Amino acid sequence: METAPGPAALTPPAAPAQLPAPPSVHVRAVITWLAIFPLVTLGMMASAPLTEGWHPVFKALALTLVVVPTAVYLVVPRMMRAHASLIRRRPRA
């Protein structure tokens, strides 16, 4: 009768690659602002003819309905990846 190999015969799983540290809250704030400001500016200019005469609260609602998801799902993740890429390329001192 064959027996299953003991724990010593099993090889340990490979250690996962060490992930770089996430950027500081200050860096994330700057990256988010760099994403949001141009989107808001372009959104305001593009929506001005459509929302002329609207109450400012409704203008802000319409603008944020477009800008926030665009920033959260498209722009900020790409900017964070670009930032991480730049950090990895930086020579270590």
Side-chain angles (χ1 to χ4, degrees):
M1 177 197 268
E2 291 185 35
T3 61
L10 299 176
T11 57
Q18 185 158 356
L19 297 174
S24 73
V25 68
H26 307 296
V27 171
R28 289 188 311 235
V30 169
I31 289 172
T32 303
W33 183 83
L34 287 171
I36 294 287
F37 179 74
L39 290 173
V40 168
T41 303
L42 293 172
M44 286 174 61
M45 292 188 316
S47 68
L50 302 172
T51 60
E52 188 176 331
W54 287 19
H55 189 279
V57 171
F58 295 125
K59 286 183 181 183
L61 174 66
L63 183 61
T64 58
L65 281 173
V66 175
V67 168
V68 171
T70 302
V72 168
Y73 294 113
L74 296 176
V75 180
V76 172
R78 289 179 180 162
M79 291 179 75
M80 292 293 251
R81 280 194 297 273
H83 175 265
S85 176
L86 289 172
I87 293 300
R88 279 193 302 270
R89 289 183 191 167
R90 185 187 302 170
R92 303 275 186 230

